[in-house]
Amino acid sequence: MRDLARDLSLLSINTATLKTLTLRQAVETLSRHGIRTIAPWRDRLAECGVKDAARLLADHGMAVSGLIRAGMFTSGDAARDDNRRAVDEAAAINARCLVLVAGGLAPQSRDLAAARGIVRDGMGALLPYARQAGIALAIEPLHPMYAADRACINTMAQANDLCDSLGTGLGIAIDVYHTWWDPDLKAQIARAGGKILAYHVNDWLVPTTDLLLDRGMMGDGVIDIRRIRAWVEDAGYAGPCEVEIFSAANWWKRDPDEVVRICIERFQSCC
Amino acid sequence: MRDLARDLSLLSINTATLKTLTLRQAVETLSRHGIRTIAPWRDRLAECGVKDAARLLADHGMAVSGLIRAGMFTSGDAARDDNRRAVDEAAAINARCLVLVAGGLAPQSRDLAAARGIVRDGMGALLPYARQAGIALAIEPLHPMYAADRACINTMAQANDLCDSLGTGLGIAIDVYHTWWDPDLKAQIARAGGKILAYHVNDWLVPTTDLLLDRGMMGDGVIDIRRIRAWVEDAGYAGPCEVEIFSAANWWKRDPDEVVRICIERFQSCC
């Protein structure tokens, strides 16, 4: 028999999975189910106010596996200030890391190599501020289908290269949805080693009917999640599986208690 | 001034772009516009009958940049016989190559590495037959979003590895839609060198509203097509740009003569 208590200590729920709930509602829902780790999106934090959010999380003994998200380095100068605010917010809620989504092509540009350069430079500029705040930055490679409009960092190899280039304070958030297809995944996870800061789970549905909002619950799709978990553990990652499911037509319409109950079941049977 | 006649000799239209036309209608439409290269899908060939298709193409002086498609190695034993028939068809119409789409995961399987092994073995088994027929096989890496259900060969690096492993008679069909996002694309195109057998153009729209049927016309999206063309020419490819656009909501609904006219314009201005 598996040890349920131990299992739940390795489960985190990303607030995107509970799209309809406020941060307070999400924290209370997870608490009812014995889950003690959460990953909030910044919009949920903003609604609540960062100070109140920090108190709410502390009052419920909630660990924060990551704050989602900063980055968007290719969208112009406004990103710089917003990214520093995100570092401050991550520090205020004692997040394990601040997840960075790179941003896609610069406006009106088709130059993907240039976009990738802007991202590298932007991360390099943010890093000293994050180091000073004691917040680790976690670059999350997104699936290549988001290269144009969301993230031009699309493989673990790119993320590893960025870590090698920019040094201490930068790590990686691995999401099985974004990376499962990669023929180089096993080798790049091994290469990442101790730089893995977060590990997101969900599933790739067949068919997938929407590029953004049709992710599956673990076990409902084709990703060999256990195998990828073994690879990240072999690389030294011992942190939680963080469930992040964008699902406009299915999971976002269900009762959040049911969603959390199924997350727990699938975490135990598939992850 | 660019030499229009020379330009059109480097333009091929894939019948998927003219979805509503029979092969005869497609050939006659292209002929009216001065285009002398076509890439038929096998269903268009089958409707027409392969012998009649061969005569039709010859009568109109049409070169065939590729026959689309065989492969689907992970779908079981039936694929083997069908792939040999495809080789025969390619020979009958004097196609420059037979394009192979690998196939996705095997039925009920989550083992992507195993699927990739099946594909390698299946190609290896088909190659002697294709060599004997004098037909070059062109593996086409598909975008990672098709890894589950269409093709588990998703990068130029994988295609190059297959060519290295399987030897003479296997080359690569590069489609900008499937590969534009790849941070390793330039290097892998250079590595492919003389093994590039086909080059497909279209565009990545922002937003993309459907995973399969929302490709764009060259110039309407974000792909730097000229840059990729320069890379394939530097690698030694001097063949046509083959326009392949799946577009249920737009191009497939338009008058085919208009579509071809715009293909020519965009070929000249964007490719």
Side-chain angles (χ1 to χ4, degrees):
Chain A
M1 288 291 290
R2 301 179 61 158
D3 180 338
L4 181 65
R6 177 180 172 282
D7 274 355
L8 289 191
S9 78
L10 287 180
L11 176 59
S12 174
I13 306 291
N14 183 299
T15 61
T17 307
L18 306 171
K19 184 72 172 177
T20 58
L21 302 187
T22 65
L23 184 62
R24 174 170 298 279
Q25 291 169 326
V27 165
E28 289 172 349
T29 301
L30 297 185
S31 293
R32 273 199 302 280
H33 290 269
I35 296 171
R36 292 279 175 257
T37 313
I38 192 169
W41 277 62
R42 290 177 65 205
D43 56 350
R44 288 287 166 270
L45 222 55
E47 283 171 2
C48 179
V50 177
K51 274 190 185 169
D52 285 354
R55 193 175 312 117
L56 171 73
L57 293 162
D59 286 349
H60 288 78
M62 279 276 163
V64 177
S65 55
L67 176 64
I68 327 294
R69 60 181 163 68
M72 296 297 167
F73 298 100
T74 50
S75 62
D77 286 344
R80 191 175 46 206
D81 292 338
D82 189 58
N83 283 335
R84 292 184 168 213
R85 279 193 297 274
V87 168
D88 297 341
E89 293 166 16
I93 62 170
N94 199 24
R96 181 186 170 94
C97 62
L98 172 63
V99 173
L100 302 181
V101 169
L105 291 163
Q108 312 306 321
S109 169
R110 290 186 172 90
D111 192 337
L112 199 50
R116 287 163 173 162
I118 293 169
V119 169
R120 188 191 56 238
D121 294 346
M123 284 186 192
L126 182 60
L127 260 173
Y129 189 85
R131 288 187 194 119
Q132 193 152 21
I135 290 299
L137 303 179
I139 176 68
E140 181 176 9
L142 295 203
H143 195 284
M145 67 186 174
Y146 305 123
D149 50 356
R150 283 188 170 73
C152 59
I153 305 302
N154 307 105
T155 65
M156 281 290 294
Q158 286 177 286
N160 274 317
D161 288 348
L162 285 167
C163 288
D164 288 350
S165 156
L166 296 174
T168 308
L170 182 63
I172 304 175
I174 301 178
D175 188 313
V176 298
Y177 188 83
H178 296 304
T179 60
W180 75 280
W181 60 271
D182 185 351
D184 206 22
L185 184 58
K186 182 181 179 182
Q188 293 294 337
I189 285 175
R191 178 184 165 202
K195 294 192 290 284
I196 301 171
L197 299 178
Y199 173 68
H200 298 180
V201 294
N202 43 62
D203 216 334
W204 182 277
L205 300 176
V206 177
T208 292
T209 59
D210 186 275
L211 275 78
L212 189 59
L213 302 179
D214 191 31
R215 294 197 199 180
M217 177 66 68
M218 300 80 74
D220 288 345
V222 298
I223 303 178
D224 190 343
I225 304 171
R226 279 181 185 276
R227 186 180 295 204
I228 299 175
R229 176 76 195 184
W231 292 342
V232 301
E233 289 190 359
D234 286 348
Y237 178 79
C241 294
E242 177 183 318
V243 181
E244 186 180 44
I245 301 174
F246 300 84
S247 171
N250 184 359
W251 298 102
W252 287 355
K253 290 187 171 170
R254 299 208 196 185
D255 172 60
D257 272 297
E258 183 197 4
V259 174
V260 172
R261 186 176 55 70
I262 296 174
C263 282
I264 292 172
E265 287 174 13
R266 299 298 180 84
F267 164 69
Q268 289 169 342
S269 61
C270 306
C271 296
Chain B
M1 287 293 290
R2 302 180 60 159
D3 180 337
L4 181 65
R6 177 181 172 280
D7 275 353
L8 289 192
S9 77
L10 288 179
L11 175 60
S12 173
I13 306 291
N14 183 300
T15 61
T17 307
L18 305 171
K19 184 73 172 176
T20 58
L21 301 188
T22 65
L23 184 62
R24 174 169 297 280
Q25 290 170 328
V27 165
E28 290 172 350
T29 301
L30 297 184
S31 293
R32 273 199 301 281
H33 290 269
I35 297 172
R36 292 279 175 257
T37 314
I38 191 170
W41 276 63
R42 290 178 64 206
D43 56 349
R44 288 289 166 269
L45 222 56
E47 283 171 2
C48 180
V50 176
K51 274 191 187 171
D52 285 354
R55 194 175 312 118
L56 172 72
L57 292 162
D59 286 350
H60 287 78
M62 279 276 163
V64 177
S65 55
L67 175 65
I68 325 294
R69 61 179 163 71
M72 295 298 167
F73 298 101
T74 52
S75 62
D77 287 344
R80 192 176 46 207
D81 292 338
D82 189 59
N83 284 334
R84 291 184 169 213
R85 279 194 296 275
V87 168
D88 297 340
E89 293 165 18
I93 63 171
N94 199 22
R96 179 185 172 95
C97 62
L98 171 63
V99 173
L100 301 180
V101 169
L105 290 163
Q108 313 306 320
S109 169
R110 290 187 172 90
D111 193 336
L112 198 51
R116 287 163 174 163
I118 293 169
V119 169
R120 188 192 55 237
D121 294 347
M123 283 186 193
L126 182 61
L127 260 173
Y129 189 86
R131 287 185 193 120
Q132 194 151 21
I135 289 299
L137 303 179
I139 176 68
E140 180 176 9
L142 295 203
H143 194 284
M145 68 185 174
Y146 304 123
D149 51 355
R150 282 187 169 74
C152 59
I153 305 301
N154 307 105
T155 64
M156 281 291 293
Q158 285 177 286
N160 274 317
D161 289 348
L162 285 167
C163 289
D164 288 350
S165 157
L166 296 173
T168 308
L170 181 63
I172 305 176
I174 301 178
D175 188 313
V176 298
Y177 187 82
H178 295 305
T179 59
W180 74 279
W181 59 271
D182 186 349
D184 207 23
L185 184 58
K186 182 181 179 181
Q188 293 293 338
I189 285 175
R191 179 183 163 202
K195 294 192 291 288
I196 301 171
L197 300 179
Y199 173 68
H200 298 180
V201 294
N202 42 61
D203 216 333
W204 182 277
L205 299 176
V206 177
T208 291
T209 60
D210 186 275
L211 275 79
L212 190 60
L213 302 180
D214 191 31
R215 294 196 199 179
M217 176 65 70
M218 301 81 74
D220 288 345
V222 298
I223 302 177
D224 190 343
I225 303 170
R226 278 180 185 275
R227 186 181 296 203
I228 299 176
R229 176 77 197 185
W231 292 341
V232 300
E233 290 190 358
D234 286 347
Y237 178 80
C241 294
E242 177 184 319
V243 181
E244 185 179 46
I245 301 175
F246 298 86
S247 172
N250 185 359
W251 298 101
W252 287 356
K253 291 188 172 170
R254 300 207 196 184
D255 172 62
D257 272 297
E258 183 197 4
V259 173
V260 172
R261 186 177 53 71
I262 297 174
C263 282
I264 292 172
E265 286 174 12
R266 298 300 179 83
F267 164 68
Q268 289 169 340
S269 61
C270 306
C271 296

